[in-house]
Amino acid sequence: MTKSELIERLAAHQTQLSAKDVELVVKSLLEHMAQALARGDRIEIRGFGSFSLHFRAPRTGRNPKTGDAVTLAGKYVPHFKPGKELRDRVNASIQEN
Amino acid sequence: MALTKADMAERLFEELGLNKREAKEMVETFFEEVRGALEKGEQVKLSGFGNFDLRDKNQRPGRNPKTGEEIPISARRVVTFRPGQKLKARVEAYAGSEQQ
């Protein structure tokens, strides 16, 4: 499912907002989530999961072409931990087969 | 402060003028559609944010850490999140501002 398919499905399931409004909603929600992570905040959605930042320590990498050592600074990367309901539902779908 | 569904609904109310009930419902159904797609075995790709992928894990041997007893960990399907380039770049910029 892509972002545009998500917008279509949400629009199909409700009557109050136009497809255009639903598109604005989805974009606003994703932008809000990205902004939260970009300022180092966690996101906690019960039944879905939580997003947080994990630190990657500085390390010495290599330029694969020249073999030269390159110093890579530490950085933060986004991390998602699925919540219990999401874990259970995703796993139940395979157990039935 | 962690971002919650209530904060997200509040933003829809302020930014897009949805009424509070609509805003709350949209946040709820947004996450439900993503869960529903993953439950059906669909990958979810939200460009600019990231992809939710599904991985099927084989059964593997495990151990009860308390008793040391061996118990198999059953085969399962799990969700993984791969952040997109744009999100990764925005989050890295946060690390930069922390060091100043």
Side-chain angles (χ1 to χ4, degrees):
Chain A
M1 178 173 74
T2 61
K3 199 196 293 179
S4 50
E5 286 166 341
L6 171 61
I7 292 164
E8 283 169 23
R9 290 182 201 187
L10 284 168
H13 287 185
Q14 56 91 55
T15 49
Q16 294 161 39
L17 302 177
S18 67
K20 185 72 204 162
D21 286 339
V22 173
E23 182 180 348
L24 291 175
V25 164
V26 168
K27 290 188 169 161
S28 171
L29 291 176
L30 291 172
E31 176 56 24
H32 198 179
M33 291 168 74
Q35 278 172 5
L37 292 171
R39 59 169 188 267
D41 283 351
R42 291 168 54 83
I43 305 171
E44 288 178 4
I45 310 296
R46 185 165 310 154
F48 185 80
S50 59
F51 296 86
S52 58
L53 299 188
H54 281 188
F55 184 64
R56 295 276 175 268
R59 62 192 177 89
T60 308
R62 288 204 178 268
N63 179 328
K65 268 206 190 114
T66 63
D68 292 350
V70 197
T71 313
L72 297 171
K75 63 173 182 179
Y76 285 88
V77 292
H79 181 259
F80 174 66
K81 184 171 185 287
K84 181 163 168 42
E85 185 192 338
L86 179 58
R87 279 203 311 271
D88 289 350
R89 283 172 60 180
V90 160
N91 195 36
S93 64
I94 176 182
Q95 303 297 353
E96 286 158 15
N97 304 328
Chain B
M1 260 293 281
L3 183 72
T4 63
K5 287 194 289 189
D7 300 322
M8 294 170 75
E10 182 65 22
R11 171 82 71 104
L12 295 181
F13 165 72
E14 287 169 7
E15 197 176 272
L16 301 176
L18 271 62
N19 70 43
K20 300 234 173 170
R21 187 185 47 79
E22 283 171 339
K24 204 172 157 228
E25 255 175 47
M26 283 308 297
V27 173
E28 197 57 57
T29 51
F30 170 82
F31 288 109
E32 180 51 31
E33 284 294 343
V34 176
R35 274 194 299 252
L38 293 167
E39 184 176 24
K40 284 190 284 179
E42 288 180 73
Q43 180 198 33
V44 176
K45 302 199 289 187
L46 303 176
S47 98
F49 190 76
N51 296 354
F52 294 91
D53 296 331
L54 295 165
R55 294 178 75 101
D56 289 334
K57 307 267 196 181
N58 289 325
Q59 179 179 315
R60 60 191 169 91
R63 211 175 265 284
N64 179 329
K66 268 205 188 113
T67 64
E69 186 192 354
E70 272 206 49
I71 335 162
I73 297 169
S74 59
R76 62 193 60 205
R77 175 172 287 173
V78 298
V79 178
T80 61
F81 175 66
R82 287 179 55 87
Q85 282 305 323
K86 208 169 137 196
L87 180 63
K88 278 203 266 188
R90 288 175 73 174
V91 163
E92 262 183 69
Y94 159 75
S97 66
E98 281 299 276
Q99 285 157 4
Q100 284 163 15

